[in-house]
Amino acid sequence: MGKYIMAEENFRTISGEDKIFGINKLAQEMIQKVGKEKVANATVGTLLDDEGNLVVLSSVADALKQLSPNDFAEYAPIAGIPSYLEAVKKAVFMDYEPGCHLEAVATPGGTGAIRNAIQNYTRRGDIVLTSDWYWGPYNTITQELERRLNTYSLFDQEGKYNVDALKEKLEQVLAFQGRALIVLNTPSHNPTGYSLTSDDWDQLLSVLKQFAADSSKKIVLLVDVAYLDFAGDAKEVRAFLPKLENLPHNLLPLIAFSMSKSYTMYGMRCGALLCMSLDKAIVDEFKLVNSFSNRGTWSNGTRSAMVVLSRIFADPLLFEKVVKEREAALSMLLSRGRIFTEAIEKSGLTMCPYHSGFFAIVLCENPEAVAFEAMKEGVFTVPMGNGIRVSIASISEEKCREVPEKLALAAGRITR
Ligand SMILES: Cc1ncc(COP(=O)(O)O)c(C=O)c1O
C-alpha cells in the first residue's frame, strides 16, 4: 500500500507544513501577544524595512500602475516578450556585451528558470550537484522532476570555497552518468551570504575545463543570480560574467535571473533562464527546448511584469529611479550585515563566511534545540544543517545587534 489515498508519491518525500512558514507562524503569534518590538522574526526571505514592512520599490510599483489593460490581459509569447528578453540581458550584464551568443527565455521567477534548466539539461534519474548549504527548493525541484540532489562541501577547513570537494564529486558524477549539472548560487549565496571571489571563479572554471577536455562529457553550470542586485557594487558583483563567455562547447553556462528581489516583484512571478555559448546551434537549441518546457508547464509567463522590466530599460529616467531606490535598500541591507557580523564576533559565536545578502548562518551544535530555546526570548530563526539561518533582511539594525547575544545565551543554556 502506498502512503497516499488517491495521490501518488512518485519518489518524492513530501512533508507537511513548510518548516520556515511554520516558524514564521509562531513568530506572528508571539508578535500578537507581546508586540513586534520584543520579537525578532528572522525567518522570512523578503527584505523588510526597520518597521517590519515589505520594501517595495515605488518606481517599479508606479510603472506597474501605468500599464494598460492589454498589458495585463493579453498573453505573452511563450518564450517571453522580445523587449523583455533584451531587458533581461541588460539587467544581468548591464552595459557589457558578452563575446558569445546569448539567449534568454522567460520563466515564472528564478524558480521556473531552475526548473527548466534541470528538466532540459539532465535526464530522469540523474544526479544534480550543488553545495551542502543550499536553498531548499533545489531539492524540491529535483525530486519533482525525478532527479536526485547530491552535494559537495561548500567550504574547506579554512572557510574558503572548496573547489577540491566539487572536483571530487564531479568526477564521480561524470564517471557515473557522463553529464553533470551544477547549481551555483552566487553572489550572496542563500543561506550563507558567501560570494565566489574572482580567484574562486578561476579555480572552479579551471576544474570544469579539465573535465570538459573529454569531449564525450557534458557539463552545465547553472548560476543562480537571484541576489545579484543585493550583493554589493553593481559592477563588482558582475565581474565574473566575462569569464563565462569563452568556454568549450560541452561546458555550458546558464544563468537563472529573477525579478523577485531586484525589482521587488516577488509575487509577480517573473524571471528568465539565459544561455551563453560560442556555438549558435547550442543557443538555438536552448530556445527551442525551453520554449517547449514553458508550453508544457505554465505556458506563458506574466505579461505585465515583463512589460514593466522592458519599460525600465527603455526609459533612462525610470531606470535611474529604480537604481537609486534599490541602492538605498541595498545600503540598509549591507549595514545590517556589518552590524550582525560584528555582533557575532562579540558574542563568541561563529558563522559561515558571509559577504552580503539576505541570510547568514550561525554555526552551533544542536541547532534545533538552540533555535527553539531562542524563540522563548523572541528570536525566531531557522535551524538547518549544523547551524541556524538568520534572515538579516527581515530584522532591523537594532535587532541585528541584539540577536547574536541572544543566540549565544540560548546556545549556552542548551549545552549547560
Ligand atoms: C537561492 C534562490 N534562488 C532562486 C530564488 C528564486 O526566487 P523566485 O522564484 O521568486 O524568483 C530564490 C528566492 O528566494 C532564492 O533564494
Side-chain angles (χ1 to χ4, degrees):
M1 254 279 277
K3 188 172 164 189
Y4 294 101
I5 311 158
M6 292 297 288
E8 297 297 339
E9 196 167 8
N10 287 332
F11 312 104
R12 299 164 298 173
T13 307
I14 302 176
S15 49
E17 191 182 45
D18 181 278
K19 182 167 144 188
I20 300 173
F21 286 102
I23 302 173
N24 180 35
K25 210 165 102 190
L26 293 176
Q28 298 302 340
E29 284 166 10
M30 189 160 182
I31 288 172
Q32 289 299 318
K33 272 195 216 135
V34 301
K36 66 178 181 181
E37 295 72 29
K38 296 208 173 91
V39 177
N41 183 4
T43 59
V44 288
T46 45
L47 184 61
L48 306 183
D49 65 18
D50 284 353
E51 273 66 58
N53 303 313
L54 186 68
V55 171
V56 183
L57 301 179
S58 64
S59 45
V60 177
D62 288 346
L64 253 174
K65 284 181 204 149
Q66 279 161 25
L67 296 181
S68 72
N70 276 19
D71 295 327
F72 294 99
E74 216 183 308
Y75 281 128
I78 298 288
I81 299 172
S83 58
Y84 169 71
L85 299 177
E86 288 314 304
V88 164
K89 292 176 193 170
K90 286 194 194 141
V92 174
F93 288 89
M94 289 180 27
D95 298 333
Y96 183 73
E97 294 213 2
C100 63
H101 299 284
L102 175 65
E103 270 296 354
V105 170
T107 56
T111 304
I114 295 158
R115 186 257 169 224
N116 273 4
I118 294 173
Q119 171 67 327
N120 287 303
Y121 293 91
T122 62
R123 291 187 193 168
R124 196 175 284 176
D126 270 3
I127 289 169
V128 172
L129 209 50
T130 196
S131 56
D132 51 357
W133 291 108
Y134 65 86
W135 184 49
Y138 293 162
N139 193 19
T140 316
I141 300 167
T142 44
Q143 286 192 65
E144 183 68 13
L145 294 171
E146 298 181 17
R147 272 70 163 171
R148 291 163 293 154
L149 195 67
N150 206 319
T151 60
Y152 64 94
S153 160
L154 178 59
F155 300 115
D156 64 15
Q157 297 292 341
E158 290 159 23
K160 298 217 170 89
Y161 181 66
N162 199 342
V163 76
D164 290 338
L166 168 79
K167 187 175 174 183
E168 200 183 316
K169 270 283 158 75
L170 182 59
E171 188 164 19
Q172 290 165 10
V173 170
L174 286 173
F176 177 66
Q177 62 193 37
R179 56 194 171 272
L181 184 144
I182 303 156
V183 189
L184 180 67
N185 176 212
T186 190
S188 293
H189 173 257
N190 175 1
T192 65
Y194 187 76
S195 298
L196 261 70
T197 63
S198 178
D199 205 36
D200 293 338
W201 269 107
D202 291 341
Q203 288 188 42
L204 168 67
L205 291 174
S206 146
V207 163
L208 299 187
K209 282 183 202 162
Q210 280 167 34
F211 285 111
D214 175 351
S215 61
S216 71
K217 305 284 189 257
K218 296 199 237 178
I219 303 171
V220 176
L221 178 64
L222 172 62
V223 192
D224 175 358
V225 296
Y227 297 91
L228 187 64
D229 291 300
F230 279 97
D233 177 78
K235 280 221 165 80
E236 276 169 30
V237 300
R238 287 168 169 81
F240 70 92
L241 289 166
K243 295 181 196 283
L244 304 177
E245 70 187 1
N246 194 16
L247 299 177
H249 295 177
N250 58 335
L251 170 51
L252 184 69
L254 301 178
I255 298 171
F257 163 78
S258 165
M259 283 183 70
S260 297
K261 278 96 191 166
S262 296
Y263 299 87
T264 61
M265 293 265 254
Y266 308 88
M268 293 292 287
R269 310 308 306 136
C270 200
L273 184 63
L274 295 93
C275 168
M276 302 166 73
S277 177
L278 291 169
D279 187 342
K280 183 157 184 319
I282 288 176
V283 294
D284 288 347
E285 170 189 90
F286 163 87
K287 193 108 199 183
L288 181 75
V289 295
N290 283 286
S291 300
F292 187 92
S293 283
N294 277 2
R295 190 64 176 126
T297 45
W298 41 76
S299 195
N300 332 65
T302 312
R303 186 182 191 97
S304 47
M306 292 187 212
V307 175
V308 167
L309 197 78
S310 312
R311 299 236 169 115
I312 291 171
F313 281 88
D315 176 349
L317 275 179
L318 176 58
F319 177 74
E320 188 73 1
K321 270 196 202 159
V322 172
V323 169
K324 279 243 160 68
E325 263 193 277
R326 196 168 51 203
E327 272 171 5
L330 168 65
S331 132
M332 176 180 80
L333 184 65
L334 293 176
S335 140
R336 286 182 194 169
R338 276 191 297 272
I339 288 168
F340 187 78
T341 311
E342 279 166 23
I344 284 287
E345 275 164 23
K346 277 194 204 137
S347 74
L349 291 170
T350 49
M351 61 196 263
C352 283
Y354 172 90
H355 290 131
S356 56
F358 279 36
F359 305 106
I361 290 283
V362 177
L363 296 164
C364 66
E365 276 170 31
N366 210 346
E368 298 274 343
V370 174
F372 187 73
E373 183 64 26
M375 282 181 201
K376 296 179 192 161
E377 302 300 317
V379 173
F380 290 79
T381 56
V382 182
M384 45 175 79
N386 58 340
I388 283 177
R389 188 190 85 169
V390 180
S391 168
I392 61 169
S394 63
I395 55 172
S396 64
E397 270 192 25
E398 195 189 332
K399 283 179 180 153
C400 283
R401 210 169 275 122
E402 293 166 5
V403 162
E405 192 179 355
K406 289 190 176 170
L407 287 177
L409 290 172
R413 287 198 294 276
I414 292 301
T415 48
R416 229 186 304 129

